[in-house]
Amino acid sequence: MNRTEQALELDERATTTPQPSAGGWAERIFKLREHDTTVRTELVAGLTTFLTMAYIIFVNPSILGDAGMPKDAVFVATCLIAALGTGIMALYANYPIALAPGMGLNAYFAYVVVLQMGFTWQAALGAVFVSGCLFLLVTVFKLRELIIRGIPHSIRVAITVGIGLFLAIIALKSAGIVAPSKATYVTLGDLHTPEVVLATLGFFLIVVLDRLKVPGAILIGIIAVTVASFFFAGNVFHGIFAPPPSIAPTFLQLDIKAALSGGILNVILVFFLVELFDATGTLMGVARRAGLLVPAKMDRLNKALLADSGAIFAGSLLGTSSTTAYVESAAGVQAGGRTGLTALTVAVLFLAALVISPLAGAVPAYATAPALFFVACLMLRELTELDWDDTTEVVPAAVTALTMPFTYSIANGLAFGFITYAVLKLFTGQARKVHWMVWLIGGVFLFKFIYIGGH
């Protein structure tokens, strides 16, 4: 081999051999360059996501405590399962999506299954465990992947938009801008409170900083409102560290035998259906927002589905209601999060929250509300992808998106959307164009509404 050939060979090796990157281990594990991101961006995105969902650390024990569960133990279980599930999502699926006990599912657990139907919280945990096992089986045998592939494009778009609207109503409620009304269900809140004023100013700050391309605009907005809350809204700083309580009162306290009794089988089915479509819808919506829901990266979505499936029954063993993917992950995605390093950051922060609960509790809901509302506004742009000339596509999409916030459930939005899509296609002579999975999913939801109810 002459020198010219040797030079060409060396040059070829140089161009094909991966070069070391500044990210080091992070680059090797999370492929930061491939996703056009940096360690700093991912860390900021992770902190942003954590701050927008840290409320679950305190809300979940409060709700499950109403069902008679020991609040301190539930606090520990909440932190641990959020760290475990999100950590698996980070290292196994390399997705910037966080997991934690789901809002809505915990309310159903406490107020319907335990307080209304009269089951013990141990039996309810058993029902969560059984539904989690079913959920994992559906994922392992690729049935969940089949469901995803069968979702029409218009419904996929609607999922993202619906999650945006869902985030919007959560944000407006947290900020105090909307309030409950007996006459109209929802009305304008008291705009003169410090909380509303600070949330409004925080929203404008985030939008302006984002427009000026200031890195970490969302995080800066959250921190600014939090700092201001100590001076203008009566927020109290309770220190930084506190020892974590014992998890013993809830650890392995589930009653699987009671969960398999006839009366609670309907409960298991409800848990299963909500987990299936709520988590799937959230994963698809956030992944689509991050640009990860493309054919070349679908294998990672499958891993993400396994991660959140496994977290459900693990959570029941620790002592908390169903764990699911969090829509607040969209805030981290908007802050630039594209890989599992974002999720790993969230997982570490949830572990840290075990001993820094006073500091985590210092961020009020109205400080994260502006971030969620900003993300919600941006997620509405997906509507431009709909074919507005075809009402059999647009109307089911609109039904899906609108019923998510108005029923306060992603799963309900999907249910109404699928049923509407199937009915409209059937009666307009387009039944043969519809994927068989749509008929199956629509039928299952119809069965649930008719024979089980709307819980």
Side-chain angles (χ1 to χ4, degrees):
M1 182 183 294
N2 58 40
R3 290 184 179 181
T4 304
E5 291 174 333
Q6 288 178 339
L8 288 172
E9 184 178 352
L10 287 172
D11 184 60
E12 184 179 350
R13 286 178 183 176
T15 56
T16 57
T17 303
Q19 300 300 310
S21 72
W25 64 271
E27 171 61 35
R28 291 194 301 272
I29 296 174
F30 301 111
K31 299 178 175 61
L32 302 179
R33 285 189 300 175
E34 179 182 323
H35 295 90
D36 193 24
T37 185
T38 65
V39 171
R40 180 187 179 280
T41 299
E42 296 291 303
L43 294 179
V44 169
L47 181 57
T48 301
T49 294
F50 175 77
L51 289 176
T52 60
M53 63 184 290
Y55 66 85
I56 195 62
I57 296 173
F58 307 98
V59 175
N60 198 46
S62 176
I63 291 175
L64 297 187
D66 290 344
M69 296 187 69
K71 291 185 179 181
D72 287 345
V74 174
F75 165 79
V76 177
T78 302
C79 292
L80 288 179
I81 193 56
L84 176 64
T86 307
I88 295 172
M89 181 70 75
L91 298 172
Y92 181 58
N94 196 20
Y95 258 28
I97 295 176
L99 305 176
M103 290 293 294
L105 284 165
N106 52 8
Y108 175 73
F109 179 105
Y111 303 123
V112 177
V113 179
V114 178
L115 296 179
Q116 182 180 321
M117 301 176 70
F119 292 101
T120 64
W121 61 263
Q122 291 89 343
L125 282 179
V128 173
F129 176 83
V130 175
S131 69
C133 291
L134 292 174
F135 196 42
L136 187 59
L137 287 174
V138 165
T139 305
V140 169
F141 288 105
K142 302 294 180 71
L143 294 178
R144 205 169 160 196
E145 183 182 342
L146 277 176
I147 292 170
I148 290 175
R149 293 185 185 280
I151 296 177
H153 174 72
S154 58
I155 300 295
R156 291 192 186 199
V157 170
I159 290 172
T160 305
V161 176
I163 288 175
L165 294 173
F166 192 52
L167 284 176
I169 198 167
I170 291 173
L172 292 172
K173 176 176 175 288
S174 298
I177 295 174
V178 300
S181 166
K182 290 184 179 180
T184 60
Y185 294 106
V186 177
T187 189
L188 187 66
D190 184 358
L191 301 183
H192 297 92
T193 63
E195 293 81 1
V196 172
V197 174
L198 290 177
T200 304
L201 293 175
F203 175 72
F204 286 127
L205 176 62
I206 289 173
V207 177
V208 170
L209 292 177
D210 180 76
R211 176 61 182 171
L212 297 175
K213 301 189 183 303
V214 176
I218 292 176
L219 182 58
I220 292 172
I222 293 173
I223 294 174
V225 175
T226 301
V227 171
S229 70
F230 293 111
F231 298 97
F232 303 107
N235 196 2
V236 179
F237 185 67
H238 295 288
I240 299 177
F241 300 105
S246 171
I247 196 177
T250 60
F251 183 61
L252 297 180
Q253 296 300 309
L254 66 167
D255 188 344
I256 299 175
K257 183 177 180 181
L260 294 175
S261 65
I264 205 171
L265 289 179
N266 282 348
V267 173
I268 294 173
L269 181 58
V270 171
F271 273 135
F272 172 73
L273 289 175
V274 174
E275 288 158 1
L276 176 63
F277 290 99
D278 208 332
T280 302
T282 301
L283 277 170
M284 288 184 63
V286 177
R288 180 185 175 87
R289 187 77 185 90
L292 300 173
L293 202 61
V294 294
K297 297 175 182 176
M298 286 297 284
D299 62 316
R300 286 170 57 195
L301 178 63
N302 297 333
K303 292 180 178 180
L305 297 176
L306 274 173
D308 79 325
S309 302
I312 294 174
F313 70 84
S316 68
L317 297 177
L318 292 172
T320 183
S321 53
S322 301
T323 303
T324 187
Y326 256 60
V327 293
E328 285 84 352
S329 302
V333 168
Q334 183 58 37
R338 292 294 181 272
T339 74
L341 185 54
T342 294
L344 185 62
T345 303
V346 176
V348 171
L349 289 171
F350 268 113
L351 281 181
L354 286 169
V355 294
I356 60 167
S357 56
L359 183 61
V363 180
Y366 58 84
T368 59
L372 295 182
F373 194 63
F374 171 63
V375 172
C377 292
L378 297 182
M379 293 180 80
L380 298 184
R381 70 181 179 188
E382 301 289 338
L383 284 169
T384 58
E385 294 191 20
L386 292 174
D387 180 6
W388 289 90
D389 293 325
D390 187 348
T391 53
T392 63
E393 294 287 337
V394 170
V395 171
V399 168
T400 302
L402 290 172
T403 50
M404 282 186 188
F406 290 135
T407 64
Y408 217 73
S409 167
I410 294 171
N412 282 343
L414 283 168
F416 285 112
F418 271 106
I419 293 171
T420 304
Y421 190 91
V423 169
L424 291 180
K425 292 296 184 181
L426 177 63
F427 288 104
T428 56
Q430 302 179 67
R432 291 184 178 179
K433 298 179 181 178
V434 178
H435 194 283
W436 63 269
M437 188 58 72
V438 172
W439 301 111
L440 178 60
I441 295 172
V444 169
F445 275 127
L446 200 60
F447 173 84
K448 173 185 176 294
F449 286 140
I450 293 173
Y451 293 101
I452 300 177
H455 292 300

